[in-house]
Each structure stands twice: as C-alpha cells, then as structure tokens.
Amino acid sequence: MRVLVLGGTSFVGRAIVEELRAGGDEVTLFGRGRTGTGLFPDVERRVGDRSTGDYAALRTGEWDCVVDVSGYVPRHVQQAAEALLERVARCLLVSTGSVYDRLQGRSGMDESSPRLAPRRDTEDYESEAYGPLKVACEDDLAALWGSRATVVRPGVVAGPHDPTDRFTWWVRRAARGGRVALPGRAEQPVQVVDAGDLGRLVASLVRSGLAGTFNAVGPADPVTLGSLIETCAEAAGTSVEVVEVEHRPGFPLVLADQTWDVMFRRSSAAARAVGLTATPLLETARATLAWDRDRGEPPLAVELSPEEEATLLADARPTPA
C-alpha cells in the first residue's frame, strides 16, 4: 500500500514506519526535516511545516492511507484534510488515552467511555489542554473523513528511542539494584504498550482499512508499578527492594492520587481483537536497557541523585509484601 505518514521520525512514528516498511508498504514521510534526518534514507520525504500550515509539498501525489502521528490541535487535522481529502482513501489518527474523562471513568473503560470536553481556544498542547485538544482532533477527523477514519488511542508507549523517559527512568534505576525509592504507591496500576506492538497495530489497521477507535494499551496482563520496577530489575539481572516514600509530583508513571487509577485500567479488548500484539514487559525492559546503555545513558528528564534517594529512604519502611 502507499502510505503517507505525517511525522514518523521520532518515536511512535518511527515504530509505525518500521512496521509499514517491514510489511512491504510504500511510505512517504512529511515533516519539517529537523529530526531523524539519517533515518530511512530510501524513503521519499516531503518537507513542510504544520505549525505554519505549510502543506505545499503535498499538492501532488495519491495515497491509500495517511497516518497522522503529529496532529495535536484541530487546525492540524483540518488543514491536513483540506490538502489530502480528495487524494487519499483513508486517514488514521494517532490520538491518546488522555481524551478520557477520569472522573466519569471506570476500571476497564473502553472506547465508548466518556471523553473530556473538546477545546479549541488554545494550541498549547504541552499543557493540561493536551487531552481536550485531542478530543477536538478526533471530532474533526470524524466530521471530515466519516467512515474513512480510524483512531488509535495509545497509552504510555515504552521502548527504545522514547524521548519522554517515563519507562526508561525505571529501567535505568532498577538496573542499579538495591533499595528503590518509589514516590507513590507500589500497588498503583500501570499500563505501558511496547512501541513495536503499537506500530504493528497501526500497520495492520492501515492494511485492513478498518474504521473505528481502538485503545492501544498494554501489557496484556495487569501490572502494578511495584511489579514493573521488579521486572525492570530482572531485565538487568539485579534485585531490588521497592520502598514507598513521600509522594513527588511529576515523577515518571506515578499518578497523583487514586482517582487517576482508571486511566491505567483501560480495556484493550477491541485492539487485541484486530491484532494488537503483546510483547512481554520483560522483553521491552531488556530492549530499553540495551538502547539506553548504547546511547551512553544521558541525563533524564527527571533526576533523583543517589544522595536525594538516600534521604528519602532514610526513614521509610519496606513496602508490605
């Protein structure tokens, strides 16, 4: 199939492009040409800028599907449709699980669960408006593409090349072993989906032409934050003792309070029914650890020095078994 990918050279997009190419699809990339310039040297690239509405490079060409990895605000979805609607058969939008309204949610919530109210009064998607902006994107996709639209709502994506450090942080810390300070609840649920599994799901939906909305969450079996850390240690061949310490806002994968737990208890049944694979968490952790070490373990977005961790652990008690 001929597939146009809007984005595709960072993390999620990279995994999608790799899966499409592995299946023999003909891929065209559209982006600013600033990231991943050495990736996919044999893939056609069209250069433009969605932030300014520059889609001139897409004035020619026809594709069987456009995969929108970089549509963060309604204007992106609207302008892409204006440029492509007549020359592309289908559109698949990579949305987010952040569209759900946690206060109306429930454990195991599915694709029909209540979403947040859409927002169109801002384009600051690196804020609390991220989820509501994606809701507006989904609404516009449905209005513009109709039955030719597919939406994938990933959870936290894990694996090599992750720029967020959310999973990588725990992989690296667990690899050091010993007493691990957890600024949260060890029994807190957590969902991470392997980037390769997400890429394979998107590629499968592109090829099947299946419309609808799908939660791309994993792993297949329920996991707690404590067991995730222990799995990361197993991947590194170390042993850990997870110790709950004082809560720290903004710590990787740690939820603010129990009202957020439903966000890590979403159902993946619909996606698994159409081909979402389930890479074992241990395998994802091993791949992430190898990649992190290969790149030289640069500073992470959240830092907790051994000295700071020792202070947190000083008066803490071991987490009950």
Side-chain angles (χ1 to χ4, degrees):
M1 296 187 71
R2 298 163 301 168
V3 185
L4 171 65
V5 180
L6 307 182
T9 56
S10 180
F11 177 41
V12 169
R14 178 176 183 159
I16 292 170
V17 172
E18 287 174 346
E19 291 299 328
L20 288 169
R21 297 183 72 233
D25 297 296
E26 179 183 328
V27 177
T28 302
L29 294 175
F30 174 81
R32 294 177 297 176
R34 298 177 185 176
T35 61
T37 54
L39 285 175
F40 314 124
D42 56 340
V43 170
E44 179 187 3
R45 289 177 181 254
R46 306 279 185 97
V47 178
D49 190 343
R50 304 189 81 176
S51 67
T52 63
D54 177 14
Y55 292 85
L58 298 180
R59 286 175 180 163
T60 60
E62 295 183 355
W63 294 272
D64 298 299
C65 185
V66 55
V67 176
D68 191 345
V69 184
S70 58
Y72 296 108
V73 300
R75 177 173 59 84
H76 293 163
V77 173
Q78 296 160 8
Q79 291 177 337
E82 182 180 348
L84 299 167
L85 198 57
E86 300 302 319
R87 292 177 289 110
V88 179
R90 306 192 54 78
C91 182
L92 184 150
L93 173 68
V94 178
S95 186
T96 174
S98 296
V99 299
Y100 291 110
D101 185 346
R102 66 182 174 87
L103 297 180
Q104 298 187 61
R106 64 188 189 282
S107 182
M109 60 184 179
D110 61 20
E111 292 79 359
S112 65
S113 296
R115 298 177 305 159
L116 297 166
R119 282 189 64 176
R120 301 175 184 276
D121 60 337
T122 179
E123 291 198 347
D124 182 11
Y125 57 84
E126 294 182 347
S127 69
E128 73 283 351
Y130 175 67
L133 283 167
K134 279 288 198 175
V135 173
C137 288
E138 291 186 2
D139 289 350
D140 287 355
L141 185 83
L144 292 162
W145 293 85
S147 62
R148 300 155 61 191
T150 304
V151 173
V152 173
R153 295 173 180 160
V156 173
V157 187
H161 312 293
D162 178 10
T164 71
D165 299 332
R166 289 177 292 184
F167 182 68
T168 307
W169 198 98
W170 290 112
V171 170
R172 188 186 295 186
R173 174 59 192 91
R176 298 205 309 268
R179 298 181 78 211
V180 176
L182 171 57
R185 296 171 290 123
E187 76 278 6
Q188 175 207 293
V190 65
Q191 288 181 311
V192 296
V193 61
D194 187 275
D197 293 329
L198 175 57
R200 283 184 285 277
L201 173 66
V202 170
S204 175
L205 290 170
V206 166
R207 293 169 190 141
S208 68
L210 190 62
T213 302
F214 304 91
N215 287 335
V217 294
D221 298 318
V223 175
T224 65
L225 190 48
S227 64
L228 179 143
I229 297 168
E230 291 167 353
T231 299
C232 290
E234 182 182 353
T238 61
S239 60
V240 294
E241 176 189 355
V242 178
V243 181
E244 293 181 358
V245 298
E246 183 180 355
H247 179 77
R248 286 177 59 137
F251 212 77
L253 301 183
V254 175
L255 298 174
D257 56 57
Q258 294 186 35
T259 67
W260 287 88
D261 284 5
V262 293
M263 298 299 283
F264 277 154
R265 286 180 174 147
R266 296 195 295 274
S267 171
S268 62
R272 298 208 182 279
V274 297
L276 176 64
T277 51
T279 298
L281 185 60
L282 180 61
E283 189 175 320
T284 303
R286 283 173 175 158
T288 304
L289 178 64
W291 163 74
D292 190 39
R293 287 175 170 173
D294 186 61
R295 66 176 182 156
E297 298 185 330
L300 299 176
V302 174
E303 291 293 344
L304 183 67
S305 70
E307 294 76 19
E308 291 175 307
E309 184 175 29
T311 299
L312 290 174
L313 288 167
D315 298 319
R317 295 181 179 180
T319 301

